[in-house]
Amino acid sequence: MFTFILLCLLVGAIVGFLAGLFGIGGGLVVVPTLVYLLPMMGIPDQMLMSTALGTSFATIVITGFSSAQRHHKLGNIEWSAVKVLAPVIMITVFISGLFIGKLDRDISAKIFACLVVYLAAKMVISIKKNTVNAKPLTTQSSVIGGILIGMASSAAGIGGGGFIVPFLNSRSVNMKKSIGSSAFCGALLGLSGTLSFIVSGWGNPSMPDYSLGYIYLPAVLGITATSFFTSKLGATATSKLPVSTLKKGFALLLIAIAVDMFMK
């Protein structure tokens, strides 16, 4: 248990900074890491991906709200953009999570890998994309975008930042405010996903002690113990870095994760 918690603390420190810097919940790093670590704690193979996804969502709640709080102080949240997007994503994630948690591990893993590749390609394209003529963010586009982002995020166990940031940026919201708004939406998305995976895994006799549905609590505590603080550092760095640098960094992060997933 000691080694497991120590590794979770290290992961949390890295994930927290990336979450604050790029407006991601951290699931893109947490999910594959937990898939590797959770067998150490007796998580059965057939429950491994569901537990990694559910636990990832639980960590996103703490990390996301910490990051969003800092972004709010820095003026990096576009409240007019998230008032429709956030609730739509929450509802979609909760409903989707009830089904995703019951999927076969191989299917969930393949969905996750495909989504990461898509995100990487999306961000690479957005670096050179001219946003001067970007379409405005409307209620209709927020509802449609929120549903699609919610479904994809539930399948990948992520806070949606990889989807929300490019979506808002393509809808005339500047990069830094897209990142801050994504952090806020991601925190609410994480809360909805957490509740969904608790419900779908409730009473499962195959889960070990200290589990709440498909949420493995020691992992949540270990990761968030450090991510809560480092996410604020990442959010501060966002306001100081050039937009082009943020986009390139985001794209490289997604590409590295995509390559890692396919190598495995």
Side-chain angles (χ1 to χ4, degrees):
M1 176 66 82
F2 177 76
T3 302
F4 178 80
I5 294 297
L6 196 63
L7 290 172
C8 285
L9 289 170
L10 177 61
V11 171
I14 297 171
V15 165
F17 184 78
L18 293 175
L21 183 63
F22 295 124
I24 62 174
L28 287 168
V29 177
V30 172
V31 172
T33 301
L34 288 178
V35 167
Y36 174 77
L37 293 178
L38 287 174
M40 296 170 55
M41 306 311 296
I43 302 296
D45 187 68
Q46 67 270 24
M47 300 297 164
L48 186 56
M49 196 64 187
S50 295
T51 306
L53 292 170
T55 303
S56 171
F57 274 125
T59 65
I60 287 169
V61 177
I62 307 299
T63 304
F65 273 118
S66 175
S67 173
Q69 181 187 35
R70 184 59 180 165
H71 276 296
H72 174 58
K73 289 184 178 180
L74 295 169
N76 286 342
I77 298 182
E78 188 71 48
W79 294 107
S80 61
V82 303
K83 66 180 181 181
V84 175
L85 190 63
V88 171
I89 290 176
M90 285 185 70
I91 294 171
T92 305
V93 167
F94 181 83
I95 295 174
S96 298
L98 296 176
F99 298 98
I100 295 295
K102 299 182 185 301
L103 284 179
D104 179 80
R105 175 193 170 187
D106 290 336
I107 296 176
S108 296
K110 288 176 181 177
I111 292 174
F112 177 82
C114 289
L115 288 173
V116 172
V117 172
Y118 169 78
L119 294 177
K122 186 81 173 178
M123 284 307 302
V124 169
I125 293 172
S126 72
I127 293 174
K128 297 182 178 180
K129 187 176 180 180
N130 182 7
T131 57
V132 174
N133 298 318
K135 297 178 180 179
L137 185 68
T138 63
T139 299
Q140 182 180 6
S141 64
S142 293
V143 171
I144 295 174
I147 292 174
L148 295 176
I149 290 169
M151 292 174 64
S153 297
S154 186
I158 61 178
F163 296 97
I164 298 171
V165 172
F167 171 71
L168 290 177
N169 192 230
S170 69
R171 292 282 171 171
S172 304
V173 179
N174 73 59
M175 187 63 179
K176 293 184 179 182
K177 287 198 173 185
S178 293
I179 289 174
S181 300
S182 173
F184 176 76
C185 288
L188 296 178
L189 184 156
L191 178 60
S192 183
T194 299
L195 294 174
S196 183
F197 275 86
I198 288 175
V199 172
S200 63
W202 190 262
N204 192 317
S206 298
M207 292 298 292
D209 293 337
Y210 310 113
S211 297
L212 193 60
Y214 287 128
I215 315 296
Y216 188 58
L217 297 177
V220 176
L221 293 175
I223 292 172
T224 58
T226 49
S227 68
F228 178 84
F229 301 101
T230 56
S231 63
K232 295 183 184 296
L233 297 176
T236 300
T238 298
S239 293
K240 297 180 179 180
L241 291 173
V243 171
S244 60
T245 301
L246 290 172
K247 285 193 173 186
K248 291 175 182 177
F250 203 163
L252 288 173
L253 170 67
L254 295 177
I255 291 171
I257 294 171
V259 170
D260 180 66
M261 286 298 294
F262 276 107
M263 288 292 288
K264 293 180 180 178

